[in-house]
Amino acid sequence: MIQEFAGDVASNYARFRRGYRTEVFDLLAAEFPLGRVLDLGCGTGQLTVPMAARAGAVIGMDPSPDMLTHARAAEVPNVVWVVGADSDVPALEPLLGAGGLDLVTIGQALHWMDPGPLFAALSRLLRPGGGVAVIANGTPVWTQRTRWATAIRQVSTRWLGALDFPACGSSDAERARYRDLLERAGFTRVREHRLDHTERLGLDEVVGALYSAGALEKLDPAGRRGFDADLRAALREAEPGGVYTEEVPVRVLCASWEPSA
Protein backbone atom coordinates (compact mmCIF):
# COMPACT_ATOMS: atom_id res chain seq x y z
CA MET A 1 0.00 0.00 0.00
CA ILE A 2 2.85 2.41 0.75
CA GLN A 3 4.23 2.10 -2.77
CA GLU A 4 0.83 2.48 -4.41
CA PHE A 5 -0.12 5.60 -2.43
CA ALA A 6 2.93 7.80 -2.73
CA GLY A 7 4.14 10.75 -4.76
CA ASP A 8 1.65 12.00 -7.35
CA VAL A 9 -0.88 9.36 -6.30
CA ALA A 10 -0.96 10.76 -2.77
CA SER A 11 -1.23 14.31 -4.12
CA ASN A 12 -4.20 13.39 -6.29
CA TYR A 13 -5.73 11.51 -3.38
CA ALA A 14 -5.54 14.59 -1.17
CA ARG A 15 -7.01 16.83 -3.83
CA PHE A 16 -9.62 14.69 -5.56
CA ARG A 17 -10.78 11.83 -3.36
CA ARG A 18 -14.38 12.19 -2.24
CA GLY A 19 -14.93 13.56 1.23
CA TYR A 20 -17.51 12.43 3.78
CA ARG A 21 -20.81 14.24 4.14
CA THR A 22 -22.12 15.70 7.39
CA GLU A 23 -24.72 12.93 7.63
CA VAL A 24 -21.97 10.38 8.22
CA PHE A 25 -20.65 12.21 11.27
CA ASP A 26 -24.17 12.82 12.59
CA LEU A 27 -24.77 9.08 12.39
CA LEU A 28 -21.50 8.18 14.13
CA ALA A 29 -22.21 10.67 16.92
CA ALA A 30 -25.64 9.12 17.43
CA GLU A 31 -24.29 5.55 17.43
CA PHE A 32 -21.12 5.85 19.50
CA PRO A 33 -19.30 7.99 22.06
CA LEU A 34 -16.70 10.14 20.32
CA GLY A 35 -14.15 10.67 23.06
CA ARG A 36 -11.06 8.98 21.65
CA VAL A 37 -11.24 7.78 18.05
CA LEU A 38 -8.86 5.79 15.84
CA ASP A 39 -9.26 6.37 12.09
CA LEU A 40 -7.47 3.38 10.57
CA GLY A 41 -6.27 3.62 6.97
CA CYS A 42 -6.85 7.35 7.22
CA GLY A 43 -5.15 8.28 3.94
CA THR A 44 -4.90 12.05 3.59
CA GLY A 45 -7.46 12.69 6.31
CA GLN A 46 -10.79 12.95 4.46
CA LEU A 47 -12.53 11.29 7.41
CA THR A 48 -10.06 12.11 10.18
CA VAL A 49 -10.07 15.89 9.96
CA PRO A 50 -13.84 16.48 10.09
CA MET A 51 -14.13 13.78 12.77
CA ALA A 52 -11.79 15.83 14.95
CA ALA A 53 -14.43 18.58 15.12
CA ARG A 54 -16.76 16.10 16.87
CA ALA A 55 -14.30 14.05 18.94
CA GLY A 56 -12.10 14.67 21.92
CA ALA A 57 -9.00 13.27 20.22
CA VAL A 58 -8.36 11.35 17.00
CA ILE A 59 -5.51 9.10 15.91
CA GLY A 60 -5.08 9.02 12.13
CA MET A 61 -3.13 5.88 11.20
CA ASP A 62 -1.94 4.92 7.70
CA PRO A 63 1.02 2.96 6.29
CA SER A 64 1.90 5.62 3.69
CA PRO A 65 4.17 8.44 4.89
CA ASP A 66 3.31 10.47 1.79
CA MET A 67 -0.39 10.26 2.51
CA LEU A 68 0.21 11.40 6.08
CA THR A 69 2.33 14.32 4.89
CA HIS A 70 -0.75 15.69 3.11
CA ALA A 71 -2.95 14.90 6.12
CA ARG A 72 -0.68 16.80 8.51
CA ALA A 73 -1.05 19.93 6.38
CA ALA A 74 -4.50 20.43 7.92
CA GLU A 75 -2.80 21.25 11.27
CA VAL A 76 -5.64 20.02 13.46
CA PRO A 77 -4.60 20.27 17.13
CA ASN A 78 -6.48 17.24 18.48
CA VAL A 79 -5.24 14.78 15.82
CA VAL A 80 -2.12 12.63 16.10
CA TRP A 81 -0.86 11.10 12.85
CA VAL A 82 0.79 7.66 13.07
CA VAL A 83 2.51 5.61 10.38
CA GLY A 84 1.16 2.08 10.65
CA ALA A 85 -0.88 -0.64 9.00
CA ASP A 86 -3.63 -2.88 10.36
CA SER A 87 -0.95 -5.38 11.42
CA ASP A 88 0.48 -2.67 13.73
CA VAL A 89 -2.78 -2.19 15.66
CA PRO A 90 -1.80 -4.61 18.50
CA ALA A 91 1.18 -2.33 19.24
CA LEU A 92 -1.28 0.40 20.25
CA GLU A 93 -2.52 -1.54 23.27
CA PRO A 94 0.56 -0.91 25.48
CA LEU A 95 0.26 2.80 24.64
CA LEU A 96 -3.51 3.28 24.97
CA GLY A 97 -4.30 0.51 27.40
CA ALA A 98 -7.16 -1.95 27.17
CA GLY A 99 -10.38 -0.06 26.58
CA GLY A 100 -8.49 3.03 25.50
CA LEU A 101 -10.67 3.81 22.49
CA ASP A 102 -14.32 4.73 22.05
CA LEU A 103 -14.56 4.24 18.30
CA VAL A 104 -12.53 2.89 15.39
CA THR A 105 -13.46 4.10 11.92
CA ILE A 106 -12.28 2.44 8.71
CA GLY A 107 -13.29 4.48 5.68
CA GLN A 108 -12.83 3.04 2.19
CA ALA A 109 -9.76 1.08 3.35
CA LEU A 110 -10.70 -2.30 4.80
CA HIS A 111 -10.17 -4.06 1.45
CA TRP A 112 -6.43 -3.41 1.97
CA MET A 113 -6.46 -5.12 5.39
CA ASP A 114 -6.83 -8.57 6.96
CA PRO A 115 -10.14 -7.99 8.74
CA GLY A 116 -10.35 -11.13 10.89
CA PRO A 117 -7.19 -10.57 12.98
CA LEU A 118 -7.83 -6.83 12.87
CA PHE A 119 -11.29 -7.05 14.46
CA ALA A 120 -9.92 -9.30 17.20
CA ALA A 121 -7.16 -6.77 17.93
CA LEU A 122 -9.62 -3.87 17.95
CA SER A 123 -11.85 -5.60 20.48
CA ARG A 124 -9.01 -5.37 23.00
CA LEU A 125 -8.67 -1.63 22.44
CA LEU A 126 -12.32 -0.65 22.72
CA ARG A 127 -14.11 0.24 25.91
CA PRO A 128 -17.54 -1.30 26.56
CA GLY A 129 -20.15 0.72 24.68
CA GLY A 130 -17.69 1.68 21.98
CA GLY A 131 -17.44 0.11 18.58
CA VAL A 132 -16.29 -0.07 14.98
CA ALA A 133 -17.67 1.72 11.92
CA VAL A 134 -16.72 0.40 8.48
CA ILE A 135 -17.65 3.00 5.86
CA ALA A 136 -17.96 2.45 2.12
CA ASN A 137 -18.10 6.02 0.83
CA GLY A 138 -19.45 5.28 -2.64
CA THR A 139 -17.91 3.28 -5.47
CA PRO A 140 -14.87 4.27 -7.56
CA VAL A 141 -15.88 6.67 -10.35
CA TRP A 142 -14.72 4.25 -13.06
CA THR A 143 -17.25 1.62 -11.89
CA GLN A 144 -20.28 3.87 -12.48
CA ARG A 145 -22.88 2.68 -14.99
CA THR A 146 -22.62 5.67 -17.26
CA ARG A 147 -21.26 6.49 -20.71
CA TRP A 148 -18.43 8.47 -19.18
CA ALA A 149 -17.38 5.64 -16.83
CA THR A 150 -17.41 3.28 -19.80
CA ALA A 151 -15.07 5.72 -21.56
CA ILE A 152 -12.67 5.56 -18.58
CA ARG A 153 -12.61 1.79 -18.67
CA GLN A 154 -12.07 1.68 -22.43
CA VAL A 155 -9.17 4.15 -22.38
CA SER A 156 -7.60 2.45 -19.37
CA THR A 157 -7.80 -0.95 -21.02
CA ARG A 158 -6.34 0.41 -24.26
CA TRP A 159 -3.30 1.86 -22.49
CA LEU A 160 -2.84 -0.43 -19.50
CA GLY A 161 -4.37 -3.75 -20.51
CA ALA A 162 -7.22 -5.57 -18.81
CA LEU A 163 -7.92 -3.96 -15.46
CA ASP A 164 -9.45 -5.37 -12.30
CA PHE A 165 -11.45 -2.58 -10.71
CA PRO A 166 -11.97 -3.16 -6.98
CA ALA A 167 -15.31 -2.50 -5.30
CA CYS A 168 -13.46 -0.90 -2.32
CA GLY A 169 -15.79 -2.42 0.24
CA SER A 170 -18.97 -1.26 -1.47
CA SER A 171 -20.22 -4.66 -2.67
CA ASP A 172 -22.87 -6.70 -0.86
CA ALA A 173 -20.49 -9.67 -0.68
CA GLU A 174 -17.73 -7.66 1.00
CA ARG A 175 -20.04 -6.16 3.58
CA ALA A 176 -21.62 -9.53 4.36
CA ARG A 177 -18.13 -10.92 4.97
CA TYR A 178 -17.23 -8.00 7.25
CA ARG A 179 -20.48 -8.46 9.20
CA ASP A 180 -19.71 -12.15 9.73
CA LEU A 181 -16.15 -11.46 10.85
CA LEU A 182 -17.27 -8.75 13.28
CA GLU A 183 -19.73 -11.14 14.88
CA ARG A 184 -17.10 -13.87 15.10
CA ALA A 185 -14.81 -11.41 16.89
CA GLY A 186 -17.50 -10.86 19.54
CA PHE A 187 -19.06 -7.61 18.33
CA THR A 188 -22.79 -7.20 18.83
CA ARG A 189 -25.64 -5.26 17.21
CA VAL A 190 -23.96 -5.29 13.81
CA ARG A 191 -26.16 -3.05 11.66
CA GLU A 192 -25.90 -1.20 8.39
CA HIS A 193 -27.01 2.33 7.54
CA ARG A 194 -27.50 3.75 4.04
CA LEU A 195 -26.78 7.38 3.25
CA ASP A 196 -26.89 7.46 -0.54
CA HIS A 197 -26.64 10.68 -2.52
CA THR A 198 -25.77 12.07 -5.95
CA GLU A 199 -22.80 14.24 -6.88
CA ARG A 200 -21.95 16.21 -9.99
CA LEU A 201 -18.28 16.30 -10.94
CA GLY A 202 -16.20 18.33 -13.37
CA LEU A 203 -13.68 16.87 -15.80
CA ASP A 204 -10.66 17.48 -13.56
CA GLU A 205 -12.41 15.83 -10.62
CA VAL A 206 -13.19 12.68 -12.60
CA VAL A 207 -9.65 12.44 -13.98
CA GLY A 208 -8.09 13.20 -10.59
CA ALA A 209 -10.18 10.51 -8.89
CA LEU A 210 -8.83 7.94 -11.35
CA TYR A 211 -5.26 9.12 -10.87
CA SER A 212 -5.63 8.90 -7.09
CA ALA A 213 -5.85 5.12 -7.56
CA GLY A 214 -2.46 4.93 -9.29
CA ALA A 215 -3.69 4.52 -12.85
CA LEU A 216 -0.58 6.13 -14.35
CA GLU A 217 2.07 4.27 -12.38
CA LYS A 218 2.74 1.79 -15.19
CA LEU A 219 3.49 4.50 -17.77
CA ASP A 220 6.57 6.60 -18.50
CA PRO A 221 6.18 10.42 -18.73
CA ALA A 222 5.37 10.36 -22.45
CA GLY A 223 2.83 7.60 -21.90
CA ARG A 224 1.22 9.53 -19.10
CA ARG A 225 0.75 12.57 -21.31
CA GLY A 226 -0.74 10.43 -24.05
CA PHE A 227 -3.05 8.64 -21.65
CA ASP A 228 -4.23 11.91 -20.16
CA ALA A 229 -5.00 13.44 -23.55
CA ASP A 230 -6.84 10.31 -24.69
CA LEU A 231 -8.81 10.09 -21.46
CA ARG A 232 -9.92 13.72 -21.47
CA ALA A 233 -10.97 13.54 -25.12
CA ALA A 234 -13.03 10.40 -24.44
CA LEU A 235 -14.69 11.97 -21.40
CA ARG A 236 -15.59 15.14 -23.31
CA GLU A 237 -17.12 13.06 -26.08
CA ALA A 238 -19.09 10.95 -23.58
CA GLU A 239 -20.42 14.00 -21.73
CA PRO A 240 -20.27 17.12 -23.93
CA GLY A 241 -21.84 19.26 -21.23
CA GLY A 242 -18.87 18.72 -18.95
CA VAL A 243 -20.93 17.66 -15.94
CA TYR A 244 -20.49 14.05 -14.78
CA THR A 245 -23.33 12.80 -12.59
CA GLU A 246 -22.25 10.19 -10.05
CA GLU A 247 -24.45 8.00 -7.88
CA VAL A 248 -22.80 7.63 -4.48
CA PRO A 249 -23.98 4.66 -2.40
CA VAL A 250 -22.74 5.18 1.16
CA ARG A 251 -22.85 2.22 3.55
CA VAL A 252 -21.93 2.50 7.23
CA LEU A 253 -21.55 -0.86 8.97
CA CYS A 254 -21.65 -0.30 12.73
CA ALA A 255 -20.73 -2.88 15.36
CA SER A 256 -20.81 -2.39 19.13
CA TRP A 257 -18.35 -3.76 21.67
CA GLU A 258 -20.35 -4.93 24.66
CA PRO A 259 -18.45 -7.82 26.27
CA SER A 260 -20.40 -10.09 28.55
CA ALA A 261 -19.69 -9.84 32.25
Side-chain angles (χ1 to χ4, degrees), residues 201-243:
L201 307 177
L203 178 61
D204 287 344
E205 292 173 302
V206 173
V207 173
L210 176 65
Y211 292 171
S212 74
L216 299 183
E217 296 303 287
K218 297 179 181 180
L219 300 174
D220 60 22
R224 294 183 183 192
R225 291 191 294 272
F227 180 95
D228 186 78
D230 194 4
L231 176 63
R232 290 176 184 272
L235 285 169
R236 291 189 183 99
E237 181 179 356
E239 196 59 67
V243 177

Side-chain angles (χ1 to χ4, degrees), residues 97-132:
L101 293 173
D102 293 291
L103 173 63
V104 178
T105 56
I106 307 171
Q108 212 80 349
L110 191 54
H111 55 288
W112 293 106
M113 304 176 189
D114 189 355
L118 172 62
F119 293 152
L122 292 179
S123 70
R124 296 189 291 272
L125 287 170
L126 288 163
R127 75 168 182 82
V132 173

Side-chain angles (χ1 to χ4, degrees), residues 29-246:
E31 289 280 349
F32 301 106
L34 300 181
R36 187 181 291 175
V37 179
L38 168 65
D39 184 24
L40 186 60
C42 66
T44 57
Q46 278 86 349
L47 180 62
T48 324
V49 172
M51 174 65 74
R54 308 276 190 118
V58 184
I59 302 168
M61 188 170 177
D62 196 274
S64 168
D66 283 11
M67 296 281 267
L68 291 179
T69 294
H70 289 282
R72 289 189 180 97
E75 297 184 348
V76 182
N78 61 330
V79 176
V80 175
W81 304 103
V82 177
V83 177
D86 56 305
S87 57
D88 297 309
V89 165
L92 295 176
E93 188 172 354
L95 298 173
L96 301 175
L101 293 173
D102 293 291
L103 173 63
V104 178
T105 56
I106 307 171
Q108 212 80 349
L110 191 54
H111 55 288
W112 293 106
M113 304 176 189
D114 189 355
L118 172 62
F119 293 152
L122 292 179
S123 70
R124 296 189 291 272
L125 287 170
L126 288 163
R127 75 168 182 82
V132 173
V134 179
I135 307 168
N137 193 33
T139 58
V141 291
W142 53 88
T143 65
Q144 293 282 305
R145 295 181 179 180
T146 61
R147 287 183 59 196
W148 58 266
T150 299
I152 292 175
R153 294 191 292 271
Q154 290 173 341
V155 172
S156 297
T157 300
R158 188 156 59 242
W159 283 85
L160 304 172
L163 298 180
D164 180 18
F165 293 106
C168 299
S170 63
S171 71
D172 291 340
E174 286 171 299
R175 296 197 307 279
R177 175 173 174 252
Y178 298 156
R179 176 189 291 270
D180 178 64
L181 290 171
L182 283 163
E183 291 174 344
R184 290 188 187 186
F187 287 86
T188 61
R189 294 197 307 115
V190 183
R191 62 274 187 201
E192 182 176 276
H193 303 272
R194 300 187 174 203
L195 300 171
D196 299 356
H197 63 277
T198 301
E199 290 192 2
R200 289 171 175 79
L201 307 177
L203 178 61
D204 287 344
E205 292 173 302
V206 173
V207 173
L210 176 65
Y211 292 171
S212 74
L216 299 183
E217 296 303 287
K218 297 179 181 180
L219 300 174
D220 60 22
R224 294 183 183 192
R225 291 191 294 272
F227 180 95
D228 186 78
D230 194 4
L231 176 63
R232 290 176 184 272
L235 285 169
R236 291 189 183 99
E237 181 179 356
E239 196 59 67
V243 177
Y244 303 85
T245 301
E246 176 191 14

